[in-house]
């Protein structure tokens, strides 16, 4: 029998869609048409009578993907898709628990807590138990609870080797009890409760195993441990799991995703059929060749090689800027040129590894009048941590700024609650004064008065220290004294926010360099203007900006990928994690394969970090892309990362800008100079700071890595 929906499939896609009843692994490369294969497989099973619409379970990772699958199915077959079990893990588990709420021990109308609701519930719990929320931060406890649940663990199953973890374990149990009393579940609970229900209720499990003989899973490489266990429970002895995924695009380990599930699936289900979808319908050949060459350096891959029937296309453009500002300007200029050549801004993406990188790019776009939209996050000056920092600066500059005071008077937490603030606001209304003046009057007594008095003293101290300091140093002092950096450093996922706070110092350095008025007031005005304008409205033609993580699943005619330096991409954090570099390489692979026609890679020889220009080394990933695929727009000698090579060169010497932020070492040593050390051997100076007895240099040694050396004791010699 001929099925019209099979027309147009390539041989591998057709083989996957028409497989006999057996579990199979479909290795679907980027741009290889996996969604089409999944929906065609479902249509084929229904059309050939192997399954009814009610007998199919299909799991996706986003509601958008589920909706698209249902829409395509409705167009392919004359069926009602409304009752089909196609959705996300959380959506399907919610449906199961609603249907069997009594067996699951839940009220019929149980409510679901989103992330912010869950955090509020944890804060209420800590307050009710009189637990110090500074010692046990609510967000940290939230991560602890969700992480355990995603491993399939209840409080009593968590290993607690120390008093702190045992206390977290107790709070986890108390939180579960609070949720039970209130008839609510969080997102992690949906999957865990569903798993526990199926695990203990053999009759219910047998019912669903016989019903769902065909289970299809999208983005299988992104499943975590509990999701895989849930799928194994649902798969009865006569079930066939059709798992579609790409181990080379597994980039969510930080969310619990476990790329090893693919290997476990092959073993646990005795997979005899692995079909590789390698024909790419998105990118030109040179882009795919670069991606293939890069990812081949990862060990333990299941293995595939993308190819296209399209032409090789244009070479990949590699631009090496002197500074991050120059890199940003290059991206802006090239994007405008592409626009003039007929490519809409909406089809151009600017990708970056870290959110903090967006600030320099946004500034260049703002100055050039180029509309842009930040996806998967907020614009730099609209981010929570930046708004907190700016509020501190506003209050330092103007004590009567009530909005700034209300934002930060209890952030980080200092024991000033809602009732204390209401009392303070009542005093201010009665006296017709600002909140600051009311607080400084000392009319509030007791603990509230002491806490508010401490806050007033803190701001006054900041104001005194900052008076006369250069703007960047004012911000550095505020970040440390306010406790903002320490607060976010203590958060499990706070590294990006700390990076953003450090980037605020860089913003101040750039502002001082460019502006005629370098006062705090002028900088705050600048921040307000950049925060309040230029974010394009939905539907307008705008440049697309996002992290590489946010870009997964998307594609663009042209892609810019910046910041390709060691420590940035791959990120420093990856160096301390098992298989961290391999995940970073997969992330780079995802970035490259977002581009259809044109790909730009860029890096900066110097980038502003913590208010100082630092010379960096080019990303090791650039060495893994064949030279014949690259077109160097402005080649320049530099120190490339080459762990197994000796053919490296020093970065070029560059004149310092007129308003240099380098700290003078007071020595003959300078950035870019080749040196030798008695113990570490030959190297090149990549950074200098301090003066006199405190002078030190950072050296990239050929065989000993990067090291900071105090000049007083280093005994360096010129090479």
């Amino acid at each position: 029998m001929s099925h019209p929906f099979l027309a147009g499939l390539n041989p591998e896609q057709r083989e996957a869609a028409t497989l006999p009843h057996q579990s199979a692994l479909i290795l679907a490369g980027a741009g290889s048409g996996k969604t089409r294969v999944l929906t065609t497989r479902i249509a084929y099973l229904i059309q050939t009578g192997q399954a009814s619409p009610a007998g199919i379970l299909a799991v996706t990772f986003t509601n958008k993907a589920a909706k698209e699958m249902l829409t395509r199915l409705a167009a392919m077959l004359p069926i009602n898709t409304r009752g089909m079990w196609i959705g996300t893990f959380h959506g399907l588990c919610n449906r199961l628990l609603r249907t069997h709420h009594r067996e699951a021990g839940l009220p019929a109308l149980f409510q679901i807590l989103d992330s912010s609701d869950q955090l509020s519930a944890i804060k209420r719990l800590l307050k009710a138990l009189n637990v110090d929320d500074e010692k046990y931060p609510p967000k940290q406890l939230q991560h602890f609870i969700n992480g355990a649940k995603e491993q399939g663990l209840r409080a009593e199953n968590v290993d607690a080797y120390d008093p702190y973890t045992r206390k977290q374990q107790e709070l986890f149990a108390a939180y579960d009890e609070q949720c039970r009393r209130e008839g609510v579940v969080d997102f992690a609970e949906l999957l865990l409760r569903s798993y526990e229900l199926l695990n203990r209720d053999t009759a219910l499990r047998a019912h669903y195993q016989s019903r769902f003989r065909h289970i299809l899973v999208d983005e299988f490489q992104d499943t975590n441990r509990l999701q895989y266990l849930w799928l194994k429970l649902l798969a009865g002895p006569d079930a066939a799991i059709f798992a579609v995924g790409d181990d080379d695009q597994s980039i969510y380990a930080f969310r619990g995703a476990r790329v090893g599930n693919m290997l476990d699936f092959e073993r646990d289900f005795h997979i005899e059929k692995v079909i590789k979808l390698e024909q790419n319908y998105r990118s030109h050949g040179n882009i795919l060749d670069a991606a293939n060459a890069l990812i081949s350096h990862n060990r333990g891959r299941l293995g595939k090689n993308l190819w296209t029937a399209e032409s090789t296309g244009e070479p990949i453009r590699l631009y090496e800027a002197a500074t991050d500002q120059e890199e940003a300007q290059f991206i802006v200029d090239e994007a405008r040129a592409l626009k003039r050549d007929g490519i809409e801004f909406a089809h151009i993406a600017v990708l970056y590894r870290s959110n903090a990188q967006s600030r320099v790019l946004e500034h260049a776009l703002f100055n050039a009048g180029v509309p842009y939209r930040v996806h998967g996050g907020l614009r730099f000056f609209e981010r929570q941590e930046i708004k907190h920092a700016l509020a501190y600066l506003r209050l330092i500059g103007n004590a009567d700024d009530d909005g700034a005071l209300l934002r930060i008077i209890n952030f980080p937490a200092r024991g000033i609650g809602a009732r204390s603030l209401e009392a303070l606001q009542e005093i201010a209304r009665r006296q017709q004064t600002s909140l600051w003046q009311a607080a400084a009057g000392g009319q509030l007594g007791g603990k509230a008065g002491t806490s508010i008095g401490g806050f007033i003293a803190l701001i006054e101290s900041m104001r005194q220290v900052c008076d006369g300091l250069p703007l960047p140093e004012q911000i550095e002092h505020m970040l440390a004294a306010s406790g903002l950096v320490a607060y976010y450093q203590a958060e499990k996922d706070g590294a990006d926010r700390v990076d953003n706070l450090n980037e605020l110092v860089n913003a101040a350095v750039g502002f001082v360099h460019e502006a005629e008025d370098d006062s705090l007031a002028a900088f705050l005005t600048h921040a307000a203007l950049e925060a309040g304008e230029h974010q394009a409205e939905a539907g307008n033609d705008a440049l697309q900006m996002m992290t590489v993580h946010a870009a997964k699943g998307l594609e663009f005619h042209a892609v810019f990928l910046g910041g390709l330096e060691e420590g940035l991409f791959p990120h420093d954090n990856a160096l301390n994690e098992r298989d961290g570099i391999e995940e970073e390489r997969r992330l780079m692979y995802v970035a490259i394969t977002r581009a259809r026609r044109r790909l730009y890679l860029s890096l900066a020889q110097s980038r502003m970090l913590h208010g100082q220009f630092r010379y960096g080394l080019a990303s090791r990933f650039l060495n893994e892309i064949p030279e014949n695929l690259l077109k160097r727009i402005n080649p320049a000698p530099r120190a490339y990362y080459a762990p197994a090579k000796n053919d490296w060169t020093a970065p070029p010497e560059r004149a310092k800008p007129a308003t240099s932020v380098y700290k003078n070492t007071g020595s003959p040593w300078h950035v870019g100079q080749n040196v030798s050390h008695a113990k570490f051997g030959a190297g090149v100076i990549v950074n200098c700071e301090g003066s006199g007895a405190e002078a030190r240099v950072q050296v990239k040694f050929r065989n000993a890595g990067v090291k900071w050396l105090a000049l007083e004791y280093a005994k360096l010699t010129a090479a």
Side-chain angles (χ1 to χ4, degrees):
M1 182 188 299
S2 175
H3 304 286
F5 45 76
L6 295 176
L9 297 182
N10 67 39
E12 292 76 22
Q13 290 174 332
R14 188 183 185 95
E15 181 186 9
T18 60
L19 275 173
H21 186 73
Q22 65 183 96
S23 291
L25 178 61
I26 314 301
L27 275 183
S32 62
K34 69 178 178 61
T35 304
R36 184 179 185 186
V37 169
L38 269 167
T39 50
T40 303
R41 172 66 175 170
I42 295 172
Y44 178 78
L45 291 172
I46 295 172
Q47 186 72 13
T48 56
Q50 296 181 59
S52 68
I56 289 173
L57 180 80
V59 189
T60 68
F61 265 81
T62 65
N63 289 317
K64 179 182 176 183
K67 190 175 294 185
E68 181 180 355
M69 197 175 293
L70 288 167
T71 301
R72 290 193 188 193
L73 275 172
M76 296 167 81
L77 294 174
I79 60 172
N80 184 355
T81 61
R82 286 180 62 85
M84 293 186 71
W85 283 60
I86 296 178
T88 64
F89 278 103
H90 291 118
L92 294 173
C93 287
N94 174 57
R95 185 170 178 176
L96 181 70
L97 293 175
R98 297 282 178 195
T99 306
H100 305 285
H101 63 89
R102 289 189 185 86
E103 296 92 332
L106 291 169
L109 299 177
F110 68 84
Q111 297 300 306
I112 300 173
L113 301 177
D114 63 19
S115 183
S116 62
D117 291 335
Q118 183 190 27
L119 186 61
S120 296
I122 290 171
K123 288 177 179 177
R124 282 193 290 108
L125 174 75
L126 295 178
K127 187 173 182 179
L129 297 177
N130 200 25
V131 174
D132 184 353
D133 61 4
E134 292 189 9
K135 186 175 181 181
Y136 296 94
K139 273 201 171 183
Q140 191 171 310
L141 183 58
Q142 182 182 33
H143 286 303
F144 177 81
I145 292 170
N146 290 342
K149 288 186 177 184
E150 286 167 3
Q151 291 295 314
L153 303 175
R154 289 293 180 191
E156 62 270 19
N157 307 125
V158 174
D159 290 329
Y161 299 108
D162 56 73
Y164 189 86
T165 310
R166 281 195 290 275
K167 183 63 177 177
Q168 286 185 308
Q169 187 181 36
E170 290 174 19
L171 294 171
F172 180 3
Y175 166 78
D176 267 357
E177 175 58 24
Q178 176 179 285
C179 289
R180 185 197 64 76
R181 288 195 311 269
E182 297 177 0
V184 297
V185 298
D186 54 50
F187 276 113
E189 182 72 16
L190 285 171
L191 188 61
L192 180 55
R193 186 71 68 104
S194 174
Y195 171 78
E196 290 171 339
L197 171 63
L198 292 171
N199 194 38
R200 70 171 179 267
D201 193 324
T202 54
L204 190 67
R205 182 171 71 248
H207 164 74
Y208 281 104
Q209 284 179 343
S210 63
R211 175 177 177 174
F212 297 128
R213 294 178 60 250
H214 295 274
I215 300 173
L216 300 94
V217 189
D218 192 12
E219 304 285 10
F220 193 79
Q221 77 281 351
D222 292 334
T223 53
N224 62 30
R225 180 177 181 273
L226 183 56
Q227 288 164 344
Y228 181 58
L229 292 175
W230 185 82
L231 288 168
K232 284 179 68 177
L233 263 186
L234 272 176
D238 191 35
I241 294 186
F242 187 85
V244 181
D246 182 3
D247 57 326
D248 291 334
Q249 294 190 77
S250 179
I251 60 172
Y252 295 119
F254 67 96
R255 292 183 189 167
R258 190 172 170 273
V259 67
N261 284 348
M262 299 185 82
L263 292 172
D264 290 348
F265 174 64
E266 278 195 279
R267 182 189 65 247
D268 295 343
F269 287 85
H270 311 291
I271 301 301
E272 298 177 1
K273 198 68 180 177
V274 176
I275 298 176
K276 298 180 181 181
L277 305 183
E278 297 174 299
Q279 184 174 357
N280 177 282
Y281 293 92
R282 175 186 301 159
S283 307
H284 278 160
N286 280 336
I287 294 170
L288 298 180
D289 289 346
N292 289 330
L294 174 83
I295 204 64
S296 68
H297 289 79
N298 272 5
R299 305 180 305 277
R301 296 173 59 229
L302 294 172
K304 65 183 180 315
N305 205 57
L306 298 178
W307 63 276
T308 180
E310 294 270 0
S311 66
T312 56
E314 302 178 28
I316 297 166
R317 290 158 171 80
L318 175 60
Y319 180 76
E320 188 169 2
T323 67
D324 48 353
Q325 290 94 342
E326 183 181 297
E327 178 191 37
Q329 192 57 51
F330 164 77
I331 291 172
V332 171
D333 292 342
E334 284 293 314
R336 294 169 82 178
L338 290 172
K339 170 77 171 177
R340 289 194 296 271
D341 289 343
I343 299 178
E344 297 296 310
F345 283 139
H347 300 305
I348 303 171
V350 180
L351 309 183
Y352 34 83
R353 173 64 181 83
S354 169
N355 267 311
Q357 291 172 253
S358 77
R359 203 273 309 169
V360 176
L361 293 163
E362 287 186 51
H363 182 64
L365 291 165
F366 177 82
N367 287 340
V370 174
Y372 66 92
R373 187 176 298 112
V374 178
H375 287 257
L378 298 170
R379 299 171 70 240
F380 181 78
F381 284 109
E382 294 172 350
R383 292 167 191 163
Q384 177 204 80
E385 61 277 13
I386 298 302
K387 282 184 169 290
H388 287 326
L390 292 175
Y392 274 101
L393 293 174
R394 284 164 53 193
L395 204 57
I396 290 170
N398 174 18
D400 295 326
D401 188 332
D402 284 358
L405 183 143
L406 286 171
R407 185 178 189 93
I408 59 172
I409 193 170
N410 198 42
F411 193 92
R414 46 180 64 91
I416 302 172
R419 289 184 180 178
S420 299
L421 284 177
E422 287 172 6
L424 182 62
Q425 289 171 313
E426 177 57 33
I427 292 171
R429 276 194 296 269
R430 193 168 60 244
Q431 297 180 347
Q432 296 293 297
T433 64
S434 68
L435 293 175
W436 176 274
Q437 291 171 358
Q443 295 184 42
L444 281 175
K447 183 182 176 183
T450 302
S451 298
I452 291 176
F455 173 72
I456 295 293
L458 172 67
I459 300 299
E460 288 286 13
S461 172
M462 285 187 195
R463 187 176 292 126
Q464 290 173 12
V465 173
C466 290
D467 186 30
L469 286 178
L471 179 62
E473 292 182 32
Q474 291 184 48
I475 296 176
E476 284 183 323
H477 174 73
M478 176 276 297
L479 292 175
S482 66
L484 284 176
V485 170
Y487 173 84
Y488 288 117
Q489 282 175 335
E491 284 197 329
K492 181 180 178 183
D493 297 326
D496 270 357
R497 297 192 188 275
V498 174
D499 286 345
N500 287 335
L501 290 174
N502 290 328
E503 186 61 29
L504 186 62
V505 181
N506 298 342
V509 172
F511 177 76
V512 168
H513 180 60
E514 295 176 2
E516 293 181 9
D517 180 359
D518 61 1
S519 66
L520 175 59
F523 177 70
L524 290 171
T525 299
H526 159 77
L529 288 172
E530 288 213 5
E533 298 180 10
H534 232 55
Q535 173 83 328
E537 296 295 329
N540 291 353
D541 184 36
L543 201 66
Q544 310 298 299
M545 293 179 60
M546 66 199 79
T547 63
V548 181
H549 281 103
K552 187 168 181 289
L554 304 178
E555 57 185 69
F556 304 91
H557 287 318
V559 168
F560 293 88
L561 177 61
L564 289 172
E565 300 128 43
E566 284 294 303
L568 194 52
F569 204 173
H571 199 279
D572 274 333
N573 294 345
L575 303 177
N576 303 318
E577 298 173 2
R578 183 185 176 188
D579 299 327
I581 290 297
E582 295 216 345
E583 174 135 346
E584 290 288 296
R585 189 175 284 111
R586 292 195 291 268
L587 194 57
M588 177 78 168
Y589 175 86
V590 167
I592 290 173
T593 54
R594 299 311 94 197
R596 295 191 190 113
R597 299 292 178 260
R598 189 175 287 192
L599 175 63
Y600 294 84
L601 307 177
S602 64
L603 63 155
Q605 293 185 350
S606 64
R607 186 173 297 275
M608 196 175 289
L609 297 171
H610 311 298
Q612 300 180 47
F613 276 112
R614 299 288 175 92
Y615 275 72
L617 303 176
S619 170
R620 68 189 71 191
F621 298 150
L622 290 176
N623 279 357
E624 297 171 0
I625 297 175
E627 189 68 29
N628 66 295
L629 301 177
L630 300 173
K631 177 182 180 182
R632 295 178 181 271
I633 297 179
N634 60 337
R638 61 171 291 115
Y640 274 88
Y641 183 95
K645 299 178 182 178
N646 292 320
D647 55 340
W648 57 284
T649 58
E653 296 182 36
R654 290 188 177 270
K656 298 175 185 177
T659 55
S660 173
V661 291
Y662 288 101
K663 296 179 180 177
N664 186 3
T665 63
S667 76
W669 306 110
H670 56 84
V671 172
Q673 187 172 8
N674 291 313
V675 294
S676 182
H677 187 273
K679 180 179 179 181
F680 303 125
V684 57
I685 295 176
V686 294
N687 195 20
C688 304
E689 69 176 32
S691 60
E694 296 181 357
R696 62 179 192 153
V697 293
Q698 188 181 36
V699 182
K700 165 64 180 174
F701 289 102
R702 188 176 305 180
N703 299 315
V706 179
K707 298 184 183 298
W708 277 104
L709 301 174
L711 282 175
E712 188 174 357
Y713 308 105
K715 297 182 180 178
L716 290 175
T717 57

